Each structure stands twice: as structure tokens, then as C-alpha cells.
Amino acid sequence: MPTLEVLRAFAQSVADNYRTDVDAQPEDQLKRPIQNLLEGLGDEFEKRVTSRTEVRVADIHGRPDVGVLVHDLLCGYIELKAPDIPVNPAHFRGANKRQWDKFKALPNLIYTNGSEWRLFRSGEQIGRVVRFGGDASLVGADAIRLQDAEALERVFVDFLNWEPIVPATPNGLASAIAPICRLIRDDVLLALSDEDSNLSILAGEWRDYLFPDTDNARFSDAYAQTLTYALLLARLSGEENLRADNAAEALRSGHGLLARVLEIFSDPQAREEIRTGADLLERIIAAIPVEQLRDRHPDLWLYFYEDFLAEYDPKLRKDAGAYYTPPQVVQAQVRLIDRLLVNKLHRPLGFAESSVLTLDPAVGTGGCRLAEIGSGSRFQSENWWGHLWGRKR
């Protein structure tokens, strides 16, 4: 069985690494063997599997140890633990618990200490736990039995064949992207704790030129939401390659300001500090079934923010007052005011009178404006993006 030989080579290299006298982090001794294992399994499964090790931020646990790509597309992540740490999240404490609370949002994640393996999808364990017959760090190739190879092969077949499946409903779409948006928000906030990070420099410039009262929490939240909505809008505009320059170009003609903000936020050095969430967000949004969504929900963009905010941050939704008003209610309100303008305030053309000005300080999705659109009314509003950055908690 080819997988058996690949795994035995992996286990032996783990043991060889741990036998050295070099003082190093225990998890780091697994990185190169894991990368070699992934390449070997890729050859067996006839897939081009590559991997990259994440740059860790000391004591913050900001990123999984290994990112895995299949045919150059992000597939998932592997988080490594020392051989003496069981990889059961139910038993995690301290830093490991805080790390799990963050990583459980990831849709395709393996936890392993080299001898025990668990696959998780959005915090739920998939399949059974695989444990080798011995400790790979101690006994090397002798830890691997045939049944171990067969069980772990099934885990990796599942892991390497992951594809994002994004539902073609507003609620389903919100449920798919909200956890990743929270992950980005948390990564930004962590990066801002380092005054020398690229995101800290970007946030400082943002405050100097635009929003001087924006604290770290609000900047992180608005950054994550703005990035998410910019990529969503680019995808719904037909863009399939959601790298920053392509997405910004797709937005430039109709959403010039948002395109420029996306370019600034996607500075390569700043993006590196949120790569885990940003890569996943791009991959998931790229899989959105745009035509199905448009056919079933032609007004998706108009009312989606409420669904998204309910999943992303229910308290923020309540504070922002982001609640859906049915079009029938909006139309009734607009007709009532129009009649008052005509019958009580002596404006025969109602909203279309040149002396009538509509003000909406929290326009949201512009439901009232859409109801008035045929009347020729003048309308001033605070758009979603300005509201997002300028709101008070």
C-alpha cells in the first residue's frame, strides 16, 4: 500500500527530528515532515499538493501552522501540537483554548501532534480520530500499522478534496462568510497590538487623514466588513478572480471609492498579516453561485446586510438598527408622506417639488429612496460605507 510507505517515511523523519539536540519549538519539528507527507500523498492521489508554513506571532497564536494548496487553490490548514499534547479541543485550556475558539471557524482544518489526527469543518469533527499504534516521535516508522495508513488515507482524501459549497440563499451565504469575516476582524485586532505591524501603520494613516476617532476595535471591525463587502460586490459584478487588483478593477466603474479603499486595504504587506482569513474569504466568495442567487433573489444586495450582520455580530446589528423593512411598509410610508406634501403642505408634485428635500441620516439599503425614485425627488443620505466608519458604538 503506497500510503503505508509514505506514512512510515513521515513517522521516521519525525523521530529523527526529535532525536536531535537542537533546542527548538516542538511543533516546528513536525513542519518539514508534514510538508513532505503532503507532497507524497499528492503524488499518490494524482494531485499537485503544495504547502506553506505560516509565520507565527509569539504568544498570539494568530495563524495555523501549515496552509495547504491543491492545484494552487487554498484547500485547508493543518495545526500542529507537540507530541505530548492530545488534539482534543474539549480538553484544551489557556492559549490552546483561545486558539481553538478562533480556528474553529475554519471550514477545513486538521489538528495533529504527529500521532493523533482529527479533521474539523467549522468546528465539527468529521469522521473518527486516527491514532497511530505508537508515538511517531519516539519509535518512528514502527508506529505505523496498516490500519493506521488506511484510516489516515480516508482522512486526507476528504481533506484534500474539499471544495467550498456556498448556498444559493441569502441566509446560507451570510452563514458561510460571517465566520471568516470575524476571523479577519480578530486577526486585524491582533496585528494592531503590535505598533510596528503593517496594519498598525495603515490604521495610523487612516486616522490621520480620515477618521481620527476610530479606535482599534472599530477599525478592525470596519476593515473586515469593508473587505468582505468589496469582494462580494466584485463577485456579484461578475469578477471570478478575486485578488485585490482584479476585484478593485471590477468595482472601479461603478464604485470608485470602494475600489480605491480595497486597493489600500489589500496592501501586500498588510494582507500578509491576515492571510489565513483573506485567502479563505477569497476562495469562498469566488464559489458563490451568482446566477442562481440572481435568479432566485433579484433584490439580494438590497437586503443582504441584515442577514449578514445577524450572523456576524448580533449585538452590532441591534446597535446599528440594521433591520429589514418590507417594501410594502416602505411604499405605504412614502405614499402617506407624499399625500401630506400635496394635501397639507401644498406641494402639488409631492416629492418631485424642487423645494422638497429628503434627508435620511442612516439610509441603509436605500429602501425609501427606491420607493421615491420615480418622483424626481432630491435625496441626501449617508451611504453604507460612511455609516460603517462613522457610527458610534
PDB file of all heavy atoms in Angstrom, residues 190-216:
ATOM      1  N   LEU A 190      -5.492  41.698  16.447  1.00  0.00           N
ATOM      2  CA  LEU A 190      -4.242  41.157  16.977  1.00  0.00           C
ATOM      3  C   LEU A 190      -3.034  41.876  16.379  1.00  0.00           C
ATOM      4  O   LEU A 190      -2.075  42.202  17.081  1.00  0.00           O
ATOM      5  CB  LEU A 190      -4.153  39.666  16.696  1.00  0.00           C
ATOM      6  CG  LEU A 190      -5.033  38.757  17.553  1.00  0.00           C
ATOM      7  CD1 LEU A 190      -4.990  37.340  17.029  1.00  0.00           C
ATOM      8  CD2 LEU A 190      -4.590  38.790  19.006  1.00  0.00           C
ATOM      9  N   ALA A 191      -3.091  42.113  15.090  1.00  0.00           N
ATOM     10  CA  ALA A 191      -1.977  42.800  14.437  1.00  0.00           C
ATOM     11  C   ALA A 191      -1.809  44.221  14.981  1.00  0.00           C
ATOM     12  O   ALA A 191      -0.690  44.721  15.106  1.00  0.00           O
ATOM     13  CB  ALA A 191      -2.195  42.837  12.925  1.00  0.00           C
ATOM     14  N   LEU A 192      -2.908  44.864  15.329  1.00  0.00           N
ATOM     15  CA  LEU A 192      -2.845  46.231  15.841  1.00  0.00           C
ATOM     16  C   LEU A 192      -2.225  46.301  17.234  1.00  0.00           C
ATOM     17  O   LEU A 192      -1.831  47.386  17.686  1.00  0.00           O
ATOM     18  CB  LEU A 192      -4.252  46.851  15.875  1.00  0.00           C
ATOM     19  CG  LEU A 192      -4.920  47.068  14.518  1.00  0.00           C
ATOM     20  CD1 LEU A 192      -6.298  47.684  14.696  1.00  0.00           C
ATOM     21  CD2 LEU A 192      -4.066  47.944  13.611  1.00  0.00           C
ATOM     22  N   SER A 193      -2.140  45.149  17.918  1.00  0.00           N
ATOM     23  CA  SER A 193      -1.489  45.137  19.222  1.00  0.00           C
ATOM     24  C   SER A 193       0.025  45.327  19.099  1.00  0.00           C
ATOM     25  O   SER A 193       0.701  45.607  20.082  1.00  0.00           O
ATOM     26  CB  SER A 193      -1.797  43.832  19.970  1.00  0.00           C
ATOM     27  OG  SER A 193      -1.225  42.721  19.300  1.00  0.00           O
ATOM     28  N   ASP A 194       0.538  45.170  17.898  1.00  0.00           N
ATOM     29  CA  ASP A 194       1.951  45.422  17.613  1.00  0.00           C
ATOM     30  C   ASP A 194       2.053  46.761  16.889  1.00  0.00           C
ATOM     31  O   ASP A 194       1.618  46.883  15.740  1.00  0.00           O
ATOM     32  CB  ASP A 194       2.516  44.292  16.749  1.00  0.00           C
ATOM     33  CG  ASP A 194       3.965  44.529  16.341  1.00  0.00           C
ATOM     34  OD1 ASP A 194       4.556  45.548  16.772  1.00  0.00           O
ATOM     35  OD2 ASP A 194       4.502  43.713  15.570  1.00  0.00           O
ATOM     36  N   GLU A 195       2.602  47.746  17.530  1.00  0.00           N
ATOM     37  CA  GLU A 195       2.654  49.092  16.962  1.00  0.00           C
ATOM     38  C   GLU A 195       3.479  49.159  15.681  1.00  0.00           C
ATOM     39  O   GLU A 195       3.334  50.104  14.900  1.00  0.00           O
ATOM     40  CB  GLU A 195       3.215  50.082  17.985  1.00  0.00           C
ATOM     41  CG  GLU A 195       2.321  50.277  19.205  1.00  0.00           C
ATOM     42  CD  GLU A 195       2.894  51.278  20.181  1.00  0.00           C
ATOM     43  OE1 GLU A 195       4.037  51.754  19.935  1.00  0.00           O
ATOM     44  OE2 GLU A 195       2.211  51.595  21.180  1.00  0.00           O
ATOM     45  N   ASP A 196       4.340  48.186  15.479  1.00  0.00           N
ATOM     46  CA  ASP A 196       5.201  48.194  14.297  1.00  0.00           C
ATOM     47  C   ASP A 196       4.640  47.363  13.138  1.00  0.00           C
ATOM     48  O   ASP A 196       5.276  47.272  12.083  1.00  0.00           O
ATOM     49  CB  ASP A 196       6.595  47.662  14.658  1.00  0.00           C
ATOM     50  CG  ASP A 196       7.311  48.564  15.653  1.00  0.00           C
ATOM     51  OD1 ASP A 196       7.137  49.791  15.563  1.00  0.00           O
ATOM     52  OD2 ASP A 196       8.038  48.029  16.517  1.00  0.00           O
ATOM     53  N   SER A 197       3.469  46.763  13.324  1.00  0.00           N
ATOM     54  CA  SER A 197       2.897  45.941  12.252  1.00  0.00           C
ATOM     55  C   SER A 197       2.442  46.837  11.104  1.00  0.00           C
ATOM     56  O   SER A 197       2.180  48.031  11.267  1.00  0.00           O
ATOM     57  CB  SER A 197       1.716  45.125  12.770  1.00  0.00           C
ATOM     58  OG  SER A 197       0.596  45.965  13.025  1.00  0.00           O
ATOM     59  N   ASN A 198       2.350  46.238   9.934  1.00  0.00           N
ATOM     60  CA  ASN A 198       1.912  46.996   8.760  1.00  0.00           C
ATOM     61  C   ASN A 198       0.479  47.488   8.911  1.00  0.00           C
ATOM     62  O   ASN A 198       0.137  48.578   8.454  1.00  0.00           O
ATOM     63  CB  ASN A 198       2.042  46.116   7.509  1.00  0.00           C
ATOM     64  CG  ASN A 198       3.490  45.825   7.168  1.00  0.00           C
ATOM     65  OD1 ASN A 198       4.232  46.706   6.785  1.00  0.00           O
ATOM     66  ND2 ASN A 198       3.897  44.571   7.325  1.00  0.00           N
ATOM     67  N   LEU A 199      -0.367  46.688   9.538  1.00  0.00           N
ATOM     68  CA  LEU A 199      -1.740  47.121   9.745  1.00  0.00           C
ATOM     69  C   LEU A 199      -1.817  48.269  10.751  1.00  0.00           C
ATOM     70  O   LEU A 199      -2.687  49.143  10.630  1.00  0.00           O
ATOM     71  CB  LEU A 199      -2.598  45.945  10.212  1.00  0.00           C
ATOM     72  CG  LEU A 199      -3.087  45.041   9.084  1.00  0.00           C
ATOM     73  CD1 LEU A 199      -3.638  43.726   9.631  1.00  0.00           C
ATOM     74  CD2 LEU A 199      -4.155  45.740   8.248  1.00  0.00           C
ATOM     75  N   SER A 200      -0.937  48.294  11.748  1.00  0.00           N
ATOM     76  CA  SER A 200      -0.902  49.431  12.678  1.00  0.00           C
ATOM     77  C   SER A 200      -0.518  50.716  11.946  1.00  0.00           C
ATOM     78  O   SER A 200      -1.092  51.786  12.194  1.00  0.00           O
ATOM     79  CB  SER A 200       0.091  49.159  13.810  1.00  0.00           C
ATOM     80  OG  SER A 200      -0.405  48.201  14.710  1.00  0.00           O
ATOM     81  N   ILE A 201       0.449  50.607  11.059  1.00  0.00           N
ATOM     82  CA  ILE A 201       0.847  51.782  10.269  1.00  0.00           C
ATOM     83  C   ILE A 201      -0.306  52.247   9.394  1.00  0.00           C
ATOM     84  O   ILE A 201      -0.600  53.447   9.306  1.00  0.00           O
ATOM     85  CB  ILE A 201       2.088  51.438   9.422  1.00  0.00           C
ATOM     86  CG1 ILE A 201       3.282  51.136  10.342  1.00  0.00           C
ATOM     87  CG2 ILE A 201       2.416  52.571   8.459  1.00  0.00           C
ATOM     88  CD1 ILE A 201       4.485  50.575   9.617  1.00  0.00           C
ATOM     89  N   LEU A 202      -1.009  51.287   8.758  1.00  0.00           N
ATOM     90  CA  LEU A 202      -2.143  51.624   7.912  1.00  0.00           C
ATOM     91  C   LEU A 202      -3.254  52.282   8.735  1.00  0.00           C
ATOM     92  O   LEU A 202      -3.847  53.286   8.321  1.00  0.00           O
ATOM     93  CB  LEU A 202      -2.675  50.363   7.231  1.00  0.00           C
ATOM     94  CG  LEU A 202      -3.902  50.520   6.340  1.00  0.00           C
ATOM     95  CD1 LEU A 202      -3.621  51.471   5.198  1.00  0.00           C
ATOM     96  CD2 LEU A 202      -4.346  49.164   5.794  1.00  0.00           C
ATOM     97  N   ALA A 203      -3.532  51.726   9.918  1.00  0.00           N
ATOM     98  CA  ALA A 203      -4.578  52.292  10.776  1.00  0.00           C
ATOM     99  C   ALA A 203      -4.215  53.705  11.213  1.00  0.00           C
ATOM    100  O   ALA A 203      -5.078  54.594  11.287  1.00  0.00           O
ATOM    101  CB  ALA A 203      -4.798  51.398  11.993  1.00  0.00           C
ATOM    102  N   GLY A 204      -2.927  53.937  11.506  1.00  0.00           N
ATOM    103  CA  GLY A 204      -2.493  55.272  11.888  1.00  0.00           C
ATOM    104  C   GLY A 204      -2.703  56.285  10.778  1.00  0.00           C
ATOM    105  O   GLY A 204      -3.189  57.410  11.022  1.00  0.00           O
ATOM    106  N   GLU A 205      -2.374  55.894   9.559  1.00  0.00           N
ATOM    107  CA  GLU A 205      -2.593  56.796   8.420  1.00  0.00           C
ATOM    108  C   GLU A 205      -4.080  57.037   8.203  1.00  0.00           C
ATOM    109  O   GLU A 205      -4.501  58.149   7.873  1.00  0.00           O
ATOM    110  CB  GLU A 205      -1.957  56.196   7.167  1.00  0.00           C
ATOM    111  CG  GLU A 205      -0.432  56.112   7.240  1.00  0.00           C
ATOM    112  CD  GLU A 205       0.165  55.388   6.061  1.00  0.00           C
ATOM    113  OE1 GLU A 205      -0.609  54.751   5.302  1.00  0.00           O
ATOM    114  OE2 GLU A 205       1.400  55.429   5.896  1.00  0.00           O
ATOM    115  N   TRP A 206      -4.894  55.991   8.401  1.00  0.00           N
ATOM    116  CA  TRP A 206      -6.339  56.104   8.238  1.00  0.00           C
ATOM    117  C   TRP A 206      -6.906  57.143   9.221  1.00  0.00           C
ATOM    118  O   TRP A 206      -7.746  57.964   8.862  1.00  0.00           O
ATOM    119  CB  TRP A 206      -6.964  54.738   8.472  1.00  0.00           C
ATOM    120  CG  TRP A 206      -8.357  54.596   7.970  1.00  0.00           C
ATOM    121  CD1 TRP A 206      -9.503  54.599   8.706  1.00  0.00           C
ATOM    122  CD2 TRP A 206      -8.758  54.413   6.615  1.00  0.00           C
ATOM    123  NE1 TRP A 206     -10.591  54.432   7.889  1.00  0.00           N
ATOM    124  CE2 TRP A 206     -10.162  54.315   6.605  1.00  0.00           C
ATOM    125  CE3 TRP A 206      -8.065  54.331   5.411  1.00  0.00           C
ATOM    126  CZ2 TRP A 206     -10.883  54.137   5.427  1.00  0.00           C
ATOM    127  CZ3 TRP A 206      -8.784  54.145   4.241  1.00  0.00           C
ATOM    128  CH2 TRP A 206     -10.179  54.050   4.265  1.00  0.00           C
ATOM    129  N   ARG A 207      -6.415  57.092  10.444  1.00  0.00           N
ATOM    130  CA  ARG A 207      -6.877  58.054  11.453  1.00  0.00           C
ATOM    131  C   ARG A 207      -6.393  59.470  11.116  1.00  0.00           C
ATOM    132  O   ARG A 207      -7.129  60.454  11.283  1.00  0.00           O
ATOM    133  CB  ARG A 207      -6.380  57.641  12.829  1.00  0.00           C
ATOM    134  CG  ARG A 207      -6.960  56.330  13.334  1.00  0.00           C
ATOM    135  CD  ARG A 207      -6.483  56.008  14.752  1.00  0.00           C
ATOM    136  NE  ARG A 207      -6.957  54.709  15.192  1.00  0.00           N
ATOM    137  CZ  ARG A 207      -6.198  53.632  15.286  1.00  0.00           C
ATOM    138  NH1 ARG A 207      -4.914  53.704  14.983  1.00  0.00           N
ATOM    139  NH2 ARG A 207      -6.708  52.487  15.702  1.00  0.00           N
ATOM    140  N   ASP A 208      -5.158  59.593  10.669  1.00  0.00           N
ATOM    141  CA  ASP A 208      -4.599  60.917  10.376  1.00  0.00           C
ATOM    142  C   ASP A 208      -5.372  61.632   9.283  1.00  0.00           C
ATOM    143  O   ASP A 208      -5.594  62.851   9.361  1.00  0.00           O
ATOM    144  CB  ASP A 208      -3.125  60.787   9.961  1.00  0.00           C
ATOM    145  CG  ASP A 208      -2.226  60.391  11.125  1.00  0.00           C
ATOM    146  OD1 ASP A 208      -2.658  60.550  12.282  1.00  0.00           O
ATOM    147  OD2 ASP A 208      -1.102  59.914  10.865  1.00  0.00           O
ATOM    148  N   TYR A 209      -5.787  60.875   8.274  1.00  0.00           N
ATOM    149  CA  TYR A 209      -6.372  61.515   7.097  1.00  0.00           C
ATOM    150  C   TYR A 209      -7.901  61.489   7.058  1.00  0.00           C
ATOM    151  O   TYR A 209      -8.512  62.357   6.437  1.00  0.00           O
ATOM    152  CB  TYR A 209      -5.832  60.856   5.821  1.00  0.00           C
ATOM    153  CG  TYR A 209      -4.370  61.119   5.580  1.00  0.00           C
ATOM    154  CD1 TYR A 209      -3.437  60.106   5.735  1.00  0.00           C
ATOM    155  CD2 TYR A 209      -3.912  62.379   5.206  1.00  0.00           C
ATOM    156  CE1 TYR A 209      -2.084  60.338   5.517  1.00  0.00           C
ATOM    157  CE2 TYR A 209      -2.561  62.618   4.995  1.00  0.00           C
ATOM    158  CZ  TYR A 209      -1.655  61.594   5.149  1.00  0.00           C
ATOM    159  OH  TYR A 209      -0.319  61.832   4.947  1.00  0.00           O
ATOM    160  N   LEU A 210      -8.538  60.506   7.713  1.00  0.00           N
ATOM    161  CA  LEU A 210      -9.977  60.339   7.516  1.00  0.00           C
ATOM    162  C   LEU A 210     -10.790  60.287   8.804  1.00  0.00           C
ATOM    163  O   LEU A 210     -11.701  61.085   8.988  1.00  0.00           O
ATOM    164  CB  LEU A 210     -10.239  59.070   6.681  1.00  0.00           C
ATOM    165  CG  LEU A 210      -9.746  59.117   5.231  1.00  0.00           C
ATOM    166  CD1 LEU A 210      -9.881  57.755   4.591  1.00  0.00           C
ATOM    167  CD2 LEU A 210     -10.544  60.148   4.443  1.00  0.00           C
ATOM    168  N   PHE A 211     -10.499  59.313   9.678  1.00  0.00           N
ATOM    169  CA  PHE A 211     -11.345  59.095  10.843  1.00  0.00           C
ATOM    170  C   PHE A 211     -10.493  59.112  12.113  1.00  0.00           C
ATOM    171  O   PHE A 211     -10.085  58.062  12.611  1.00  0.00           O
ATOM    172  CB  PHE A 211     -12.100  57.756  10.717  1.00  0.00           C
ATOM    173  CG  PHE A 211     -13.024  57.700   9.540  1.00  0.00           C
ATOM    174  CD1 PHE A 211     -12.660  57.019   8.386  1.00  0.00           C
ATOM    175  CD2 PHE A 211     -14.248  58.349   9.576  1.00  0.00           C
ATOM    176  CE1 PHE A 211     -13.511  56.974   7.296  1.00  0.00           C
ATOM    177  CE2 PHE A 211     -15.110  58.312   8.483  1.00  0.00           C
ATOM    178  CZ  PHE A 211     -14.740  57.627   7.336  1.00  0.00           C
ATOM    179  N   PRO A 212     -10.226  60.304  12.655  1.00  0.00           N
ATOM    180  CA  PRO A 212      -9.311  60.402  13.799  1.00  0.00           C
ATOM    181  C   PRO A 212      -9.816  59.710  15.059  1.00  0.00           C
ATOM    182  O   PRO A 212      -9.013  59.372  15.930  1.00  0.00           O
ATOM    183  CB  PRO A 212      -9.192  61.917  14.008  1.00  0.00           C
ATOM    184  CG  PRO A 212     -10.397  62.502  13.356  1.00  0.00           C
ATOM    185  CD  PRO A 212     -10.703  61.617  12.201  1.00  0.00           C
ATOM    186  N   ASP A 213     -11.119  59.509  15.190  1.00  0.00           N
ATOM    187  CA  ASP A 213     -11.672  58.916  16.414  1.00  0.00           C
ATOM    188  C   ASP A 213     -11.835  57.403  16.336  1.00  0.00           C
ATOM    189  O   ASP A 213     -12.411  56.795  17.242  1.00  0.00           O
ATOM    190  CB  ASP A 213     -13.032  59.548  16.733  1.00  0.00           C
ATOM    191  CG  ASP A 213     -12.911  61.032  17.016  1.00  0.00           C
ATOM    192  OD1 ASP A 213     -11.851  61.442  17.535  1.00  0.00           O
ATOM    193  OD2 ASP A 213     -13.853  61.784  16.705  1.00  0.00           O
ATOM    194  N   THR A 214     -11.336  56.779  15.275  1.00  0.00           N
ATOM    195  CA  THR A 214     -11.506  55.337  15.112  1.00  0.00           C
ATOM    196  C   THR A 214     -10.539  54.577  16.018  1.00  0.00           C
ATOM    197  O   THR A 214      -9.322  54.641  15.817  1.00  0.00           O
ATOM    198  CB  THR A 214     -11.266  54.927  13.646  1.00  0.00           C
ATOM    199  OG1 THR A 214     -12.151  55.657  12.795  1.00  0.00           O
ATOM    200  CG2 THR A 214     -11.504  53.443  13.464  1.00  0.00           C
ATOM    201  N   ASP A 215     -11.068  53.853  17.011  1.00  0.00           N
ATOM    202  CA  ASP A 215     -10.192  53.059  17.872  1.00  0.00           C
ATOM    203  C   ASP A 215      -9.879  51.726  17.205  1.00  0.00           C
ATOM    204  O   ASP A 215     -10.389  51.411  16.122  1.00  0.00           O
ATOM    205  CB  ASP A 215     -10.814  52.856  19.260  1.00  0.00           C
ATOM    206  CG  ASP A 215     -12.140  52.116  19.214  1.00  0.00           C
ATOM    207  OD1 ASP A 215     -12.442  51.460  18.191  1.00  0.00           O
ATOM    208  OD2 ASP A 215     -12.888  52.189  20.212  1.00  0.00           O
ATOM    209  N   ASN A 216      -9.026  50.917  17.846  1.00  0.00           N
ATOM    210  CA  ASN A 216      -8.586  49.666  17.232  1.00  0.00           C
ATOM    211  C   ASN A 216      -9.741  48.714  16.968  1.00  0.00           C
ATOM    212  O   ASN A 216      -9.793  48.054  15.923  1.00  0.00           O
ATOM    213  CB  ASN A 216      -7.551  48.980  18.128  1.00  0.00           C
ATOM    214  CG  ASN A 216      -6.182  49.625  18.019  1.00  0.00           C
ATOM    215  OD1 ASN A 216      -5.978  50.532  17.217  1.00  0.00           O
ATOM    216  ND2 ASN A 216      -5.244  49.161  18.831  1.00  0.00           N
TER     217      ASN A 216
END
